Amino acid sequence: MRVSHWSAACAAVVAALTIGAGACTDPTVAPKSTVTGANFFADPSAYQQVLAKIYAGLAVGGQSGGDGSTDISGIDGGFSQYMRLYWEMEELPTDEAVIAWGDQTLPEMNTQGWSASNTFVNAMYYRVYFQVQMVNEFLRQTTDAALASRGVSAPLKAKIHTYRAEARFMRALSYWHGLDFFGGIPLATENDALGANPPAQVTRTQLYNYVVGELTAIRDSLPVSGVAPDPATYGRATKGAADMLLAELYLNAGVYTGVPDYADALTSAQNVISSGLYSLNPVYRNNFTADNNNSPEIIFAVAEDGQHTQTYGSTNFIIHASCGNSMNPGNYGVDGCWYGLRMKPSAFRLYNAGDSRGSTMDTLAADGQTIAIPSISSFGNGIPNPKFTNKTSAGATGSNPAFADTDFPMFRLAEAYLIYVEAHLRSGGGTDANALNYFNALRVRAYGDSSAVDTSIAEITLDTVLAERGRELMWEAHRRTDLVRYGLFAGPLSGNYVWAWKGANAYGTDSTGMATDAHLNLYPIPANELIANPKVKQNTGY
Amino acid sequence: MRSLRWLIACALTAAAAAAPLAAQGATGTIRGRVTDAATQQPIPGATVTFGTRGGISQTDGRYTIYGAPAGTDSLRVRVIGYAPISQSVTVAGGDTVNVDVAMTAKAVNLASVVVIGYGQQRAGDVTTSVTQVAAKDFNPGVIVTPQSLIENKVAGVEVIDNNQPGGGISIRVRGQASYTAGSEPLYVVDGVPLGTGSGGGISTGNDPLNYLNPNDIESITILKDAASASIYGTNASNGVVLITTKSGQGKSRVEYGGSFSASSVTRLPSMLSPTQFRAAVAKYDSTALPQLGNANTNWLDLIGQTGMGQQHNVSFSGSGAANDYRFSLGYTNQDGVVRGTTTQQIQLRLNYGQRFYDNKLSIRGNIAGSRSMDQFTPNGVLFNAAQMGPTQPIFDTSSATLLAPWGAQLPPTGYYNWPGNSLTSRDNPLEILNGSIDHATTYRSVGSLTGKYDFSELTGLSGLTGTVDVGYDVTYGDRVTFFPNNIHFVTKNGTWGSYGESQPQQANTVLDMYLNFQPPAHLGPGTVDFTGGYSYGQSHGRFANFGESQIETNVLTDAGIPQSNAQPVSTVDVEDAKLISFFGRAGYNIDDRYLFSASLRRDGSSRFGPGNQWGNFPSVSAGWRISQEPFMQGISAISDLKLRASWGKTGNQAFGNYLFVPTYQACNATAEYNLGGQFVCPFRPSAVDQNIHWEATSAWDIGADYAIFGQRFSGTLDWYRKNTTDLLFDVPIDPASNLSNHVVTNIGSMRNTGFEFDLGGRIKDAATPGGLSWTANLNVSHNSNQVVSINPNATGTGTQVLTGGIAGGVGSTVEVLEPGQPIYSFLVCRQFYSAGKPVQGVYYNATGTDTVTGCTRGSNTIAEHDPAPHWIFGLTSNLSWNRFDLSFTLRSWLGNYVYNNVASNVGDYRELSDGSSPSNLSTSVLKSGFTQQQLLSDFYVENASFLRMDNITVGYTFPWEAQRVRLYAVVQNAFTITGYSGVDPTAGVNGIDNNIYPRSRTFTSGLSVVF
C-alpha cells in the first residue's frame, strides 16, 4: 500500500509537471555569434566600423567581397554597386557612352528610354537612401546622451565628433545625388524614428537648402587634408571635399532651385584652389591608375582595393567593361574582358589631334573598332575608352587582376578649375586672368606644350567649357549633370544637340538620335516607392 | 531544467517502486496474449474487458487485467478488423488466470497499426489522412537516400529526384506551401524529430537523411493533412514523415543482403557536333576560325563513366520472453555517372527492448551511427563539358609557364585551353576534373531511450501508460574543396587556386513526456482515449568556414594550405534554438462506427520575439463508418466504407534563427574600407521586423476509405484545401523609413487544393501455394497551387516577386510569384512563330492580339505554366508464381513544365562571338536559328510531362541448406517517355534545367538470405 501511494503520488507529480512543466517554459534564446544592437557598441571600435560602412557603401555593394550580402534588395549586388549605378546614370544616357549588354532594362539607359520600373534607376534611389539611413542611424547612436550612457571616454568622444561631421558630409553627398537625379524626394534625418511613418516629400529647393545648410554647418568640423597626397585623410570627407561639393551644388543651383548662384560656386572652387593642398598631376592618366591614391590632384575619391575592397562595380566595372575584342585584358591589369562599354561617336570626336587625353583610344580606332554605332550590342561598334586601368603609373599590374585597386576620383582639382572658369563666364565674379590660367593649365597638361592654349578670355565660351569638361572629365560621371545645366540633355533646347541613339527606342535600329522630352531631365521615382510611401508624388511626365 | 531531471528520476523511481505490488482483496488478475488465429502474430491495441475492469494488449499482444472481481464473467476482446470474442472466465480472489485469445481476421487492413504522432492507431479508426508504406512495398534497387523508398507509393506526395547518387531529395506533401521558409516535411525517426528540411540535419552536400540505412526501415508513414500533423505544431505545415526502424521479432536470425550495380547515363545535353560547330563558327564568327583545331572531342563522354556500386547489409535479430534485439551493419558504395562522384555509407544500428516488472515497464534503446564519405564532381566540370569547343584537343604540351600574381612561375598543366585569358571563354573540363577535389565526410548519430510504464494496476488508472523519451541527434561534417593554382579556370578569374573548408556541427536533444489513457470502460455510448504531454527540444550548431586563394603550391592538394597569397576568409557562426511544446489529443469511438478526434498543440519557439513566441495549433476530425450501419449490411460488395472529415492548423518556422533581432552584420576581409591608411571592417545595422511570426496553414480534408469484395480491393479518396497565411516575404518598403529598401515580414497567402485517389488490390489470388498471384496498386493525385497574395499593401509590380535565377545574364529570372498564378510560374514572353520557326525578337503583346519587338518585363511578359506536376500517377504491380516474382513501378507526371536553360543560355549564334573564343552551342539553335540570346522566350519553357518505368524487378527464391535464398535483378529508370528536349524532365525542385547532373539507368543484381 505504502509503495502504491508513493507511486500514485509520483504519477500525479508527473502529470502535474507534464501539464505545468515548471521552469522549462521559456523558449527565449539570446543570439551568441550575432552582433546585436544591444551588444555592438560595447566595443569602442564599433563607431569606426559603422563609419566605415558609410564610406564602404560607395565602394562595395554589400558586406562581403564581390558585393555579396547586398545592402539593397531586388537587384544583383555588383549591378547595384553605388558608383556603378551613379556612373551609368551620369554617362549612358549622354553623348559619352553606350553599354552592350541586354540585361533587363539596362538597354533603356543608353537611349533615355527608362520607365518608373527601370531596375537600375530604382536601385540608385535605394542606394541613396541606404546611405542616408546608415548616416541617420550613426547619428542617432552617437548623440551626446547615447555616448554618455555608454560611458565613452573623452578622447573617443572627440574622435566621434569628427566622425559625425564626416557622416553628415556623406549624407549630403548622397542627397546631392538624390536631388540631382530625382528632384524633390523625402527628407529623412536622424530626427525621424526608425520604422516609423515614412517621411514627407520635400521640394527640390528645400532639399537643396538642407544639403547646403548641412555642408556649411559641418565645413569647419571636418578634417583638413595635408598636402595631397595625404594618406591620413585620403578617401575621407575633408574640408576640401565639402568645398567641392558646395561648388557642385552652387554651380547647378539654377537647375535645382531656379535661382542660379554662380558667385558662391566660384568662391567654393576658389577655396579649394587657394587652399594650396592640391596640385595638378603632371601626368593626366595617373589620376586613373591602380596607384591613383598617390595623385596630388584628387580631393575626394572612393577608395578601392583588389585585396580588401572587392567589387564588381566602381572602377573595376569600368575597366573590365571597357575591354573587349582585340584588346588584351592584361594590358589593363585585369583578368578578362566584359565586352560592354564604348564611347558614343560624339564623345570620341571631342578630342583633337595631340590631346593626350584622347590618345588612349586612337590605336583602338585603327584596330577594327568602328566610330559609328549601328548596333549597341556589338562591341565592335564604337571606340572603347581604357581611361581607367588596373595598371600602376609605373606599368605594374594591380594587386589583383580580378578586382581593381583603382580608386574612383569623384572630385579632383581640374574640375575646380573648370567650375571657376564656367562660373566666371556666367558672371560669378573672379578674374579673367585666373580663369584663363586655370583653363590653360589643363590644356598645357593635355598637349604637353602650349600649342592649344587660349590667349584671351574672349576665346573661351560656355560651349568650349562644356567641350573641355567633356574631354577632361570624360567618363568621370559628370556628363548628365553638365548637359542638363546647359539645357542640352532633354527639353526644349535638346534639339540643338543630338547624338547617336539619343531618344531612340532601346531595341530599335535608328542610331541618328532626336530631341527628347523635358521630363527626362529628372529620373522617375521607383514605382514601388510610390506604394510604400503614399506621400510621394511621381515626377511630372512619368 | 532542474525540475525536468527531477521528473525523470521520479518517473523511474515510480516504476521501480511499483514493481513488487501485490494483488489485494477479493480480486484476481487475468493475463494472456491476443494473437491472429491464422498467422499467430500478436495483435496489439485490442481492448480486453472483464466486467468493469479491462486492459489493452501491448505490442507483443500481451494484456493484463488487474483487480478483476472474483467470480465468473465474460472476457470480451475487441479490435477493429477482427471478429469480437467473448468467452466465459472464472477468477478466484488472489489468483492469476492465463487466458490467451486467438482472433479471426475480418478485414486485416483495418486492423493494421498505423504510426501517428505520439502513438499509434488502427487503420480502421483513423479519421485523418495518413498513409503508411511498409518495408515490403518499398522501391527496390540501389537506394541511397531513404526518401526514394516511397517514391510513387503515396498519393499526394511528390518526390523530386536528385540524379546524383545520395544527393538531396525533396519531398512536397500536397504541394508547395511556402516561399521564404522551408517546404520540406518534418522527419521523425522512432519518435525523435529530426527537424524540418531534408532529414533535418546539416548537409555537407548530400542528403543528411543518408545516415539512415534504408534496409533498417520498417515503415514510413506520411501525415498528410493538417489534422494528423498538427500534433507536431509549428513544424508540421509541410506534412510529417514518421519513420519506424526495424526491431527484433521471433527466433534469432541472421540476415544478409548484398548487391552489385552498374549505372550508365541515359541522356546528356544535346550540343553541336564538331562538324556543325565548325560550320557555325565559319558562318557567324569567322574571325575565330583560325583558333579551331581539327580534333573531334566529345567532352561530355570524356567526363562520363559507368557508375559501379555495391551494397551489403547484415543484421542479427531476435526476441526473447521479455526482450528483443536487432543489430545491423550496412555498407553502400555507389559511383555516379560523371567522373568524380562517389558516395559511400557505413551505418550501424542497435535496437534493444527490455520489459521489466511483469511487463509493466518497458525500456527501448535505439542507437544509430553512420559515416558518409561523398565525393563530388568539381564545380564547373558539367557546363564546361557541354560548352567547350568540340574541335579542340584535350592536351597541349606547348603551353608556357604561368606568372602568378605573387611572382612565382607556375608549371602548365599540359591541358589545352582556348588562347587568351578571357573570362567568357570556356575551360577544359578535364583539366578541372583531374586536378580539383571536392569531398565531404559526415558523421551522424541519432539515438533515443524510451521508457514506458503501464499504470493499469492502479485503481482507476487502468489503461494509463506514461512514456518518457529522450533523444539526441548529433552531426559533424567536413567538406573540402580544392582547385589547383595553375588550371585555366582559376588563373583567369584571379583566384589562382583555392582551398575551402566548411565544418558544420550540430547537436539536438529532445525530451518528450506523455501519458496515454485508454480506459477500457465506456464513457456514455463509446470509448475514449487521451494523450497529453510535454516536449522540450533544443539545438546547438556551430558552423565554421575558412577559405584561402592564391595557393603557393599544389603539392598538398586538399591536405593542407602551405601558403596563401591572398586574404583568407574565415567565419564561425553559432546557432541556438529551442522549442517547447504542450500537446494533447482526445478520441471518442462509438462502436467503431462514429469516430471523433481532437488535438491541440501549444508551441513556444525561440525563433520569435517577445509576444510572438507562443502559438496554438488545434485540429478536429470525425469519421463515420457507414459500412457498420444496419442499412449497409445487405450490400455485401462493400466490405468497408468510412467517410471522414478533418480540419487542422499547423505552423511553419523552417527559417533562420534570430530573424527578429536587430543585428549588426560584420563584413569579411574582402569588403573592408581604407580609413586613413587602415582597412576597417564595416558593420551594417540590419533592417528587421521585430514582430515576425510563423507561417500558418489551416487545412480541410474530406475523404473516404473503402474496401470492396471482402477487402479484396481497397483504397482511399481525399479532397483537401490548404490555406497558408502569414507567409514570409521580403517586401519593398520605403527606404527613407528603415535601414533598407526591403524587410522580411509576414504578409502573403497561398492555397493548395487537390484530390488523391488510391486503389490497391489482389487481382489474382494464388489458387494453391506457389500458384500465380498478382497484386497491384494505383495512386493518382492532383494538386493546384495558387499564390493568393504577396503584399496586399502593394499594387502593380509590388505584388510580384521575381524568382528563378538563370544562367545567361546576371540577375536574369524567369519565374514569378504573382497572385492568381501557381507559385514559380514562368514569367516569359509568348514567342511568335512563322512557318513553324520562332522569329527572333518578335513576341506577342500582353493580350496576345498583336506582335511587338522585344520582350519587356512589365510590358509583354506573362505568367503561365509552372514546374509542379498537376497530375501524378503511380502504378505498382507484383506478380509471383512458384519461385519467381516480377514487379514493376511506373510513374507519370502531367502538366509540369521545365525551362531549358542550357538551350536558352547557349542556344544562339551570338554566343560564338560573344567573348573571345567560341563556345559550343545547344542544338536548339539549329531549330531556332537565333542570333541573339532570347532568354525570356517561352520557346524554352517546355512541357515536361513524362511516363517513366522507375523499376522492374525479377526475383527467384529457392531453399538452400534449409535457408531461403532470393536472387534478384532490378533495372531502375528503365525508360522515360517524354517530349522534353533537355536532360531530364524531373530537372529539380523549381523546373530550371541548367546543366543538371544527368540521369542514369541502373542495373542491380543481388541476393538475400536468412539464416
Side-chain angles (χ1 to χ4, degrees):
Chain A
M1 277 307 288
R2 193 179 58 80
V3 179
S4 173
H5 280 304
W6 163 229
S7 175
C10 230
V13 171
V14 170
L17 275 181
T18 304
I19 294 157
C24 281
T25 54
D26 183 9
T28 308
V29 165
K32 282 195 188 114
S33 70
T34 311
V35 182
T36 64
N39 62 20
F40 180 55
F41 287 101
D43 181 352
S45 56
Y47 300 99
Q48 197 189 33
Q49 288 166 329
V50 179
L51 181 70
K53 179 63 208 173
I54 293 167
Y55 283 111
L58 300 189
V60 288
Q63 285 298 92
S64 59
D67 313 302
S69 180
T70 310
D71 297 329
I72 64 166
S73 167
I75 181 168
D76 174 76
F79 264 29
S80 70
Q81 195 272 342
Y82 196 105
M83 291 311 300
R84 178 165 170 172
L85 292 171
Y86 182 65
W87 189 95
E88 286 172 340
M89 288 175 70
E90 278 290 333
E91 295 291 352
L92 295 179
T94 72
D95 56 345
E96 289 196 344
V98 289
I99 194 161
W101 308 329
D103 302 284
Q104 286 158 31
T105 73
L106 184 59
E108 300 165 4
M109 299 301 294
N110 292 314
T111 61
Q112 302 187 4
W114 49 76
S115 72
S117 53
N118 183 288
T119 313
F120 297 87
V121 174
N122 290 0
M124 185 74 233
Y125 185 89
Y126 294 136
R127 282 285 177 195
V128 164
Y129 279 104
F130 179 77
Q131 288 299 111
V132 165
Q133 291 294 83
M134 287 297 111
V135 175
N136 287 343
E137 180 66 7
F138 180 75
L139 296 177
R140 279 190 289 265
Q141 295 290 353
T142 53
T143 58
D144 286 345
L147 296 183
S149 75
R150 298 190 200 109
V152 169
S153 69
L156 179 58
K157 213 173 153 185
K159 264 190 182 172
I160 293 171
H161 185 69
T162 312
Y163 291 169
R164 282 173 63 91
E166 290 182 61
R168 285 167 71 185
F169 168 84
M170 294 297 286
R171 180 173 62 183
L173 178 70
S174 284
Y175 266 139
W176 170 50
H177 296 156
L179 82 96
D180 187 70
F181 285 142
F182 302 102
I185 50 176
L187 174 61
T189 71
E190 68 272 28
N191 299 322
D192 295 302
L194 205 56
N197 283 332
Q201 189 173 20
V202 297
T203 65
R204 204 178 193 185
T205 304
Q206 285 169 323
L207 191 56
Y208 171 88
N209 289 336
Y210 173 78
V211 173
V212 170
E214 278 287 290
L215 288 169
T216 314
I218 60 171
R219 185 172 176 268
D220 292 326
S221 306
L222 286 167
V224 177
S225 170
V227 174
D230 172 26
T233 56
Y234 181 80
R236 299 177 71 162
T238 57
K239 193 172 175 180
D243 284 335
M244 266 316 275
L245 181 47
L246 279 167
E248 302 273 9
L249 283 154
Y250 291 133
L251 182 66
N252 294 290
V255 175
Y256 300 151
T257 68
V259 183
D261 190 357
Y262 296 111
D264 279 331
L266 188 136
T267 308
S268 293
Q270 183 67 66
N271 284 343
V272 174
I273 297 164
S274 45
S275 73
L277 300 172
Y278 312 100
S279 55
L280 286 190
N281 194 319
V283 182
Y284 172 77
R285 297 212 57 208
N286 289 353
N287 286 309
F288 316 104
T289 52
D291 57 349
N292 61 348
N293 52 308
N294 294 325
S295 173
E297 185 176 338
I298 294 175
I299 298 158
F300 179 67
V302 178
E304 303 291 350
D305 186 89
Q307 295 295 335
H308 298 271
T309 316
Q310 300 181 347
T311 178
Y312 290 107
S314 197
T315 53
N316 196 45
F317 152 73
I318 302 172
I319 297 167
H320 275 97
S322 305
C323 175
N325 282 8
S326 64
M327 299 166 75
N328 178 356
N331 292 347
Y332 310 100
V334 290
D335 54 3
C337 293
W338 293 357
Y339 295 77
L341 298 171
R342 291 98 60 211
M343 287 189 288
K344 287 196 174 117
S346 38
F348 179 70
R349 292 190 175 115
L350 277 176
Y351 294 102
N352 300 313
D355 187 339
S356 68
R357 295 171 298 192
S359 64
T360 48
M361 323 76 155
D362 290 347
T363 50
L364 294 161
D367 204 8
Q369 298 287 140
T370 61
I371 296 171
I373 306 182
S375 163
I376 289 179
S377 64
S378 175
F379 191 84
N381 293 177
I383 307 296
N385 180 3
K387 170 176 179 171
F388 290 90
T389 177
N390 192 32
K391 290 276 192 186
T392 65
S393 48
T397 298
S399 68
N400 184 351
F403 295 102
D405 288 336
T406 316
D407 302 335
F408 190 94
M410 192 175 281
F411 301 136
R412 54 188 179 88
L413 184 63
E415 198 199 354
Y417 286 175
L418 288 167
I419 292 174
Y420 185 100
V421 176
E422 185 179 336
H424 175 68
L425 293 182
R426 292 185 191 268
S427 315
T431 65
D432 287 351
N434 277 349
L436 194 61
N437 275 342
Y438 295 150
F439 201 72
N440 283 337
L442 302 180
R443 287 272 175 91
V444 168
R445 176 172 69 170
Y447 286 83
D449 54 35
S450 50
S451 60
V453 300
D454 289 316
T455 50
S456 105
I457 192 71
E459 290 175 42
I460 306 172
T461 65
L462 282 173
D463 284 347
T464 55
V465 172
L466 180 64
E468 195 63 25
R469 281 187 73 94
R471 287 183 282 268
E472 178 66 29
L473 304 173
M474 175 66 65
W475 285 24
E476 289 181 60
H478 293 287
R479 194 60 173 176
R480 181 194 141 280
T481 305
D482 290 345
L483 289 172
V484 169
R485 184 171 68 252
Y486 274 79
L488 300 173
F489 184 75
L493 297 177
S494 66
N496 295 348
Y497 182 34
V498 169
W499 55 83
W501 293 99
K502 182 179 184 177
N505 175 349
Y507 298 97
T509 50
D510 176 18
S511 63
T512 50
M514 62 185 93
T516 53
D517 190 77
H519 79 274
L520 296 168
N521 281 320
L522 282 179
Y523 282 105
I525 289 169
N528 278 341
E529 168 69 347
L530 302 179
I531 298 152
N533 185 352
K535 296 172 194 163
V536 176
K537 296 276 174 294
Q538 182 57 280
N539 287 327
T540 316
Y542 289 102
Chain B
M1 270 316 284
R2 271 185 47 195
S3 66
L4 276 177
R5 283 191 209 113
W6 185 79
L7 194 152
I8 298 164
C10 181
L12 293 174
T13 318
L21 257 185
Q24 333 108 22
T27 60
T29 303
I30 308 171
R31 65 170 43 145
R33 209 158 162 259
V34 184
T35 53
D36 183 303
T39 64
Q40 279 83 51
Q41 289 299 305
I43 301 175
T47 311
V48 188
T49 49
F50 184 77
T52 59
R53 308 289 292 175
I56 309 286
S57 67
Q58 303 301 305
T59 324
D60 58 353
R62 289 174 203 282
Y63 73 93
T64 312
I65 298 173
Y66 300 96
T72 301
D73 205 336
S74 295
L75 182 82
R76 293 192 179 82
V77 187
R78 196 173 63 81
V79 63
I80 193 168
Y82 287 86
I85 282 180
S86 175
Q87 72 182 82
S88 183
V89 171
T90 303
V91 180
D95 268 5
T96 298
V97 190
N98 201 73
V99 185
D100 290 341
V101 183
M103 305 187 75
T104 308
K106 275 168 57 192
V108 179
N109 49 358
L110 296 183
S112 64
V113 172
V114 175
V115 182
I116 58 170
Y118 305 101
Q120 53 190 34
Q121 219 172 6
R122 295 267 153 208
D125 290 340
V126 171
T127 51
T128 55
S129 183
V130 173
T131 307
Q132 182 162 314
V133 183
K136 67 178 174 54
D137 296 320
F138 287 162
N139 284 315
V142 177
I143 303 273
V144 180
T145 309
Q147 298 95 308
S148 312
L149 294 169
I150 55 162
E151 195 162 6
N152 307 335
K153 300 292 185 183
V154 184
V157 176
E158 176 190 352
V159 179
I160 301 154
D161 296 314
N162 187 323
N163 297 342
Q164 200 156 310
I169 288 191
S170 288
I171 285 188
R172 295 287 175 272
V173 178
R174 295 184 165 179
Q176 181 103 12
S178 185
Y179 174 68
T180 308
S183 293
E184 302 289 333
L186 168 71
Y187 289 88
V188 180
V189 177
D190 293 324
V192 180
L194 300 183
T196 53
S198 185
I202 47 182
S203 174
T204 50
N206 273 349
D207 201 309
L209 208 58
N210 290 355
Y211 92 91
L212 201 54
N213 182 350
N215 198 52
D216 286 342
I217 298 176
E218 173 76 36
S219 71
I220 296 178
T221 307
I222 321 264
L223 309 181
K224 294 193 285 191
D225 63 347
S228 57
S230 68
I231 196 87
Y232 288 104
T234 184
N235 283 319
S237 259
N238 299 312
V240 180
V241 178
L242 304 173
I243 298 177
T244 308
T245 61
K246 290 173 180 168
S247 53
Q249 268 181 14
K251 70 176 178 67
S252 303
R253 58 175 158 181
V254 178
E255 288 173 78
Y256 167 78
S259 66
F260 289 87
S261 66
S263 311
S264 60
V265 69
T266 50
R267 210 199 278 190
L268 290 164
S270 174
M271 311 304 288
L272 297 187
S273 70
T275 317
Q276 290 168 326
F277 179 68
R278 176 173 283 281
V281 172
K283 184 162 177 199
Y284 293 97
D285 188 25
S286 53
T287 54
L289 263 182
Q291 289 183 6
L292 295 196
N294 297 313
N296 182 353
T297 310
N298 189 331
W299 297 102
L300 285 166
D301 272 1
L302 289 168
I303 63 158
Q305 66 178 3
T306 300
M308 307 301 289
Q310 51 179 311
Q311 240 173 347
H312 303 280
N313 285 294
V314 191
S315 68
F316 312 88
S317 65
S319 62
N323 69 344
D324 63 76
Y325 62 91
R326 185 175 185 275
F327 174 71
S328 72
L329 173 62
Y331 171 79
T332 299
N333 190 341
Q334 180 68 43
D335 294 339
V337 291
V338 178
R339 284 173 53 199
T341 312
T342 298
T343 186
Q344 189 194 73
Q345 248 73 247
I346 297 175
Q347 296 123 332
L348 278 167
R349 176 175 289 273
L350 177 62
N351 190 334
Y352 184 80
Q354 177 76 51
R355 293 182 297 280
F356 301 90
Y357 312 132
D358 218 7
N359 297 336
K360 280 193 282 287
L361 173 67
S362 79
I363 301 283
R364 176 166 297 282
N366 205 329
I367 295 179
S370 78
R371 184 187 75 176
S372 300
M373 291 175 71
D374 302 309
Q375 289 180 50
F376 306 92
T377 300
N379 197 17
V381 169
L382 275 171
F383 82 86
N384 279 305
Q387 296 168 20
M388 185 69 189
T391 53
Q392 304 309 97
I394 302 168
F395 299 106
D396 175 14
T397 49
S398 67
S399 32
T401 57
L402 302 147
L403 176 63
W406 59 93
Q409 289 286 342
L410 305 178
T413 60
Y415 283 94
Y416 172 82
N417 268 299
W418 287 114
N421 204 23
S422 170
L423 282 173
T424 47
S425 293
R426 303 305 165 207
D427 304 301
N428 188 323
L430 288 172
E431 184 183 55
I432 304 172
L433 182 64
N434 290 343
S436 313
I437 294 171
D438 186 354
H439 63 70
T441 307
T442 311
Y443 296 91
R444 188 173 191 187
S445 178
V446 179
S448 63
L449 187 65
T450 308
K452 190 186 264 187
Y453 191 80
D454 186 347
F455 294 93
S456 290
E457 61 180 330
L458 300 174
T459 311
L461 296 181
S462 186
L464 178 72
T465 55
T467 304
V468 177
D469 198 341
V470 188
Y472 73 91
D473 172 5
V474 178
T475 311
Y476 170 81
D478 182 23
R479 181 163 180 172
V480 177
T481 53
F482 167 79
F483 289 102
N485 61 14
N486 57 347
I487 62 174
H488 192 244
F489 187 54
V490 300
T491 58
K492 74 173 190 187
N493 70 14
T495 46
W496 291 87
S498 65
Y499 178 97
E501 183 156 6
S502 64
Q503 290 181 329
Q505 46 186 299
Q506 185 169 286
N508 302 340
T509 47
V510 64
L511 167 73
D512 289 335
M513 294 181 293
Y514 54 96
L515 296 168
N516 287 113
F517 187 43
Q518 204 172 348
H522 276 61
L523 186 74
T527 56
V528 289
D529 67 85
F530 300 100
T531 301
Y534 166 83
S535 169
Y536 177 92
Q538 63 179 15
S539 168
H540 174 72
R542 193 175 175 87
F543 303 89
N545 290 287
F546 50 99
E548 305 265 354
S549 59
Q550 305 200 355
I551 305 286
E552 186 80 50
T553 168
N554 296 331
V555 169
L556 300 185
T557 64
D558 61 331
I561 316 165
Q563 173 69 44
S564 146
N565 292 285
Q567 276 289 329
V569 177
S570 316
T571 57
V572 175
D573 185 31
V574 175
E575 300 269 330
D576 287 288
K578 251 194 233 180
L579 183 67
I580 295 172
S581 316
F582 301 90
F583 55 87
R585 179 171 52 218
Y588 191 58
N589 176 339
I590 304 172
D591 289 341
D592 293 336
R593 192 187 305 177
Y594 307 108
L595 309 158
F596 304 93
S597 181
S599 71
L600 178 66
R601 169 117 171 182
R602 181 166 168 76
D603 268 346
S605 167
S606 63
R607 296 230 160 112
F608 312 102
N612 295 303
Q613 288 180 323
W614 290 92
N616 295 326
F617 302 96
S619 84
V620 289
S621 61
W624 177 29
R625 288 191 60 222
I626 303 180
S627 52
Q628 292 290 96
E629 295 288 349
F631 60 78
M632 290 291 288
Q633 299 312 312
I635 308 169
S636 61
I638 297 175
S639 50
D640 185 56
L641 179 62
K642 177 172 68 188
L643 299 183
R644 44 187 170 71
S646 75
W647 175 86
K649 189 179 161 201
T650 52
N652 188 353
Q653 61 155 8
F655 40 79
N657 292 310
Y658 323 129
L659 282 189
F660 69 95
V661 182
T663 58
Y664 278 82
Q665 195 189 345
C667 80
N668 68 22
T670 56
E672 299 179 330
Y673 195 76
N674 188 342
L675 273 188
Q678 169 202 0
F679 283 98
V680 177
C681 173
F683 274 67
R684 177 179 72 194
S686 59
V688 295
D689 173 9
Q690 299 200 36
N691 283 317
I692 223 160
H693 51 274
W694 28 55
E695 301 184 346
T697 295
S698 73
W700 282 97
D701 184 285
I702 296 171
D705 297 332
Y706 62 90
I708 51 176
F709 306 133
Q711 307 294 116
R712 185 160 179 165
F713 295 95
S714 63
T716 60
L717 191 63
D718 278 275
W719 172 90
Y720 61 85
R721 168 161 286 182
K722 293 206 293 191
N723 287 311
T724 307
T725 53
D726 293 347
L727 283 170
L728 285 178
F729 278 106
D730 194 4
V731 297
I733 52 167
D734 171 44
S737 59
N738 212 318
L739 295 171
S740 184
N741 65 324
H742 62 109
V743 72
V744 177
T745 188
N746 298 86
I747 204 161
S749 58
M750 203 183 305
R751 183 161 63 218
N752 280 282
T753 312
F755 64 85
E756 295 155 4
F757 170 72
D758 176 276
L759 170 63
R762 310 190 307 274
I763 296 169
K764 169 95 176 67
D765 283 326
T768 56
L772 180 70
S773 78
W774 183 14
T775 64
N777 179 281
L778 169 72
N779 65 70
V780 180
S781 47
H782 172 80
N783 185 67
S784 72
N785 173 290
Q786 193 188 54
V787 175
V788 177
S789 139
I790 282 167
N791 183 355
N793 305 328
T795 55
T797 53
T799 60
Q800 284 186 338
V801 172
L802 301 180
T803 185
I806 53 166
V810 178
S812 299
T813 58
V814 291
E815 290 175 342
V816 68
L817 275 62
E818 182 178 308
Q821 299 293 332
I823 186 169
Y824 300 119
S825 289
F826 294 102
L827 185 68
V828 289
C829 289
R830 284 189 186 162
Q831 179 68 51
F832 173 74
Y833 291 82
S834 170
K837 282 199 108 169
V839 181
Q840 174 165 309
V842 182
Y843 298 95
Y844 287 99
N845 64 6
T847 51
T849 50
D850 201 0
T851 59
V852 291
T853 302
C855 173
T856 312
R857 184 137 291 160
S859 165
N860 60 336
T861 49
I862 54 167
E864 64 176 351
H865 303 313
D866 68 290
H870 294 184
W871 290 91
I872 301 180
F873 299 87
L875 175 66
T876 302
S877 159
N878 300 293
L879 272 172
S880 81
W881 179 68
N882 275 336
R883 292 172 172 179
F884 291 97
D885 59 80
L886 169 68
S887 66
F888 67 84
T889 306
L890 261 177
R891 153 167 59 151
S892 179
W893 285 12
L894 298 181
N896 53 310
Y897 283 76
V898 171
Y899 178 82
N900 190 338
N901 195 196
V902 177
S904 69
N905 185 25
V906 285
D908 63 277
Y909 291 112
R910 191 196 61 139
E911 289 302 308
L912 296 168
S913 58
D914 184 39
S916 62
S917 301
S919 52
N920 200 4
L921 306 181
S922 162
T923 51
S924 83
V925 75
L926 302 175
K927 223 183 301 172
S928 68
F930 288 158
T931 57
Q932 295 283 325
Q933 222 172 26
Q934 306 290 315
L935 288 176
L936 295 186
S937 169
D938 75 351
F939 176 70
Y940 298 113
V941 177
E942 298 184 35
N943 187 329
S945 300
F946 67 90
L947 173 71
R948 174 171 287 162
M949 180 62 85
D950 264 313
N951 58 64
I952 305 172
T953 309
V954 183
Y956 179 72
T957 308
F958 62 98
W960 175 74
E961 301 276 328
Q963 320 299 346
R964 282 164 62 84
V965 180
R966 178 168 180 261
L967 298 174
Y968 63 90
V970 184
V971 191
Q972 282 167 275
N973 188 28
F975 61 82
T976 304
I977 299 169
T978 181
Y980 177 62
S981 68
V983 167
D984 186 0
T986 50
V989 182
N990 295 331
I992 293 172
D993 174 0
N994 180 23
N995 290 300
I996 55 167
Y997 201 93
R999 196 169 182 84
S1000 55
R1001 181 177 296 121
T1002 304
F1003 296 87
T1004 309
S1005 59
L1007 69 87
S1008 60
V1009 58
V1010 182
F1011 301 100

